Amino acid sequence: MPSKPRNRLGEVYGQLTVLRASERRSASGNAYWWCRCSCGREREVPSDKLSHNLARSKPVITACLQCSRELQIEAVCAKNDREERERRQAALEARAALKGLVPERWLQLPLTDAHARELGQVLFFRGTRCLRDHLAPYRINGGCQACAGQTPSAL
Ligand SMILES: [Zn+2]
Ligand SMILES: [Zn+2]
């Protein structure tokens, strides 16, 4: 006989509140619980996925399927935003070091591919060298302008 599961009724895990015990057991004998998400949907969750310990290596469940998917998408967006901010900061620093060494108008260009798209422009200048060691603006979807023969490399 599997041991009687710990009573989790009414406990809250992220967006989930434990509503009632389920008859279902996992292969290893874990109990399942029916939980209600803050959006109103219900989800059956095995007890070993209900944890307040977010630092542990096993993933925990904190929302219904739909909300979990949205939370995942948000996490990816937040990570992309952070990486883009870091890229722009790096471009600003690289360009500050190139002042006087490259045409001034390059330093007025958008900082990154995403920045150029945001501004409706096609060129950007990160202040970095391409694989062929050119220092030149890039075109979105087109790569290094010096490689493309459009602009001579500055250095
Ligand atoms: Zn939900
Ligand atoms: Zn190049």
Side-chain angles (χ1 to χ4, degrees), residues 19-35:
L19 284 186
R20 60 184 184 276
S22 159
E23 293 301 307
R24 194 169 153 196
R25 295 289 179 274
S26 71
S28 54
N30 265 312
Y32 277 71
W33 296 90
W34 280 103
C35 301

Side-chain angles (χ1 to χ4, degrees), residues 15-16 37-41 63-68:
Q15 292 179 214
L16 296 175
C37 182
S38 56
C39 72
R41 293 188 190 95
C64 73
L65 273 175
Q66 286 85 346
C67 289
S68 293

Side-chain angles (χ1 to χ4, degrees), residues 130 132 134 144 146-147:
C130 80
R132 289 164 65 184
H134 300 130
C144 168
C147 285

Side-chain angles (χ1 to χ4, degrees), residues 1 4 14-15 18 20-21 24-25 33 56 66 78 89 97 113 116-117 127 135-136:
M1 279 291 284
K4 195 166 163 38
Q15 292 179 214
V18 181
R20 60 184 184 276
R24 194 169 153 196
R25 295 289 179 274
W33 296 90
R56 68 184 197 158
Q66 286 85 346
Q89 187 55 39
D113 181 299
R117 288 171 205 272
L135 191 61

Side-chain angles (χ1 to χ4, degrees), residues 49-111:
K49 293 273 166 51
L50 290 172
S51 172
H52 294 297
N53 179 6
L54 298 178
R56 68 184 197 158
S57 51
K58 263 203 283 185
V60 297
I61 292 177
T62 59
C64 73
L65 273 175
Q66 286 85 346
C67 289
S68 293
R69 207 167 293 141
E70 281 164 25
L71 289 169
Q72 252 168 29
I73 292 168
E74 276 172 31
V76 169
C77 289
K79 181 169 174 274
N80 289 345
D81 283 355
R82 194 180 60 239
E83 287 173 356
E84 175 62 15
R85 274 199 302 278
E86 287 167 3
R87 264 194 297 277
R88 291 187 194 186
Q89 187 55 39
L92 273 175
E93 287 167 16
R95 286 168 29 155
L98 291 169
K99 207 162 168 48
L101 301 171
V102 301
E104 186 61 26
R105 64 190 161 79
W106 292 8
L107 302 176
Q108 311 297 326
L109 289 172
L111 293 161

Side-chain angles (χ1 to χ4, degrees), residues 129-138 143-149 151 153:
R129 288 172 179 281
C130 80
L131 290 173
R132 289 164 65 184
D133 211 28
H134 300 130
L135 191 61
Y138 274 59
C144 168
Q145 285 283 88
C147 285
T151 310
S153 174

